[in-house]
Amino acid sequence: MTSDPLRLFFALPCPPSLAATICAWRADALPAGKAVEARNLHLTLAFLGSQPASRLAPLLTLAAELQGERCTLQLDRLGLWRGGLLHLAPSRVPPTLDELQQQLHARLLAAGFELEERAFRPHLTLARHYPHPPTCVAPTFDWPLRHFALFCSENDRRGTLYRQLGRWPLRPATPAGRSAP
Ligand code: ATP
Ligand code: MG
């Protein structure tokens, strides 16, 4: 018997307390469009699309071998992209986040996965089909990045659900001037 393909992506899941804070602010400041549910707020690192279930094992192994480092991401820019994608983004991307994304992409390519060649534009999607450019100023949201995860994106009558298939910690930051063991 063959199983259905899985729609997979690696992402940084937004911690529940931060997601609640962001959603409370959004409900007041940006009450339009199709809001992304609090439990679904995330930052995508790599989108794999539809994959056979047999590809899961190598993905879990590859992710466990990554050496990512913790950092704090400051979401301080509110923006609207084509098609009404309302999002928060950092005006400065921490080098450790760039490194994590690059490491992940390099390993995925080496393992034979196909990836988009577009530049990495880290963002957290707040809403889709947002009807007009937002006029409010967003506060800065500090997001402590502590782990990343592999998700399977599913749809049922309640909407989009991201099922977590694996989760890996980021190691504490190396003090400046010291190299990791
Ligand atoms: P839905 O499509 O059900 O409205 P969604 O877009 O969040 O919700 P998916 O389409 O499964 O769910 O996407 C999961 C994640 O991967 C999202 O962060 C989405 O922006 C990203 N993603 C989807 N398609 C692509 C793509 N072609 N290239 C890059 N990232 C993608
Ligand atoms: Mg989608």
Side-chain angles (χ1 to χ4, degrees):
M1 197 179 80
T2 54
S3 45
D4 289 338
L6 307 170
R7 185 173 171 89
L8 301 178
F9 66 103
F10 282 99
L12 297 158
C14 187
S17 60
L18 177 60
T21 304
I22 290 175
C23 288
W25 160 76
R26 180 185 62 184
D28 268 350
L30 303 156
K34 184 173 184 295
V36 175
E37 285 182 64
R39 64 173 183 175
N40 281 354
L41 293 181
H42 69 279
L43 186 155
T44 300
L45 292 169
F47 178 73
L48 299 161
S50 182
Q51 299 289 337
S54 59
R55 297 295 267 153
L56 202 50
L59 283 172
L60 298 175
T61 305
L62 163 165
E65 288 168 0
L66 284 190
Q67 294 288 321
E69 205 170 89
R70 294 179 181 183
C71 64
T72 298
L73 180 66
Q74 292 195 309
L75 296 174
D76 56 0
R77 278 176 32 189
L78 176 63
L80 187 71
W81 284 333
R82 239 176 349 157
L85 192 138
L86 184 73
H87 63 277
L88 287 168
S91 49
R92 178 190 158 275
V93 180
T96 46
L97 174 57
D98 262 337
E99 279 158 26
L100 175 66
Q101 188 267 354
Q102 283 165 17
Q103 239 192 95
L104 178 58
H105 272 234
R107 300 236 180 173
L108 289 168
L109 290 173
F113 290 93
E114 284 179 24
L115 297 171
E116 282 210 326
E117 283 174 17
R118 274 194 277 170
F120 179 45
R121 288 202 289 173
H123 65 280
L124 177 148
T125 300
L126 289 169
R128 298 200 167 78
H129 313 297
Y130 202 78
H132 48 74
T135 49
C136 68
V137 176
T140 295
F141 295 104
D142 284 341
W143 180 349
L145 305 181
R146 296 290 179 266
H147 59 265
F148 69 101
L150 176 65
F151 291 99
C152 176
S153 174
E154 296 172 346
N155 266 288
D156 69 12
R157 60 194 156 74
R158 287 165 300 160
T160 303
L161 177 78
Y162 302 145
R163 189 157 54 90
Q164 190 175 282
L165 301 178
R167 167 173 156 149
W168 301 270
L170 300 170
R171 61 177 153 78
T174 315
R178 286 233 313 261
S179 52

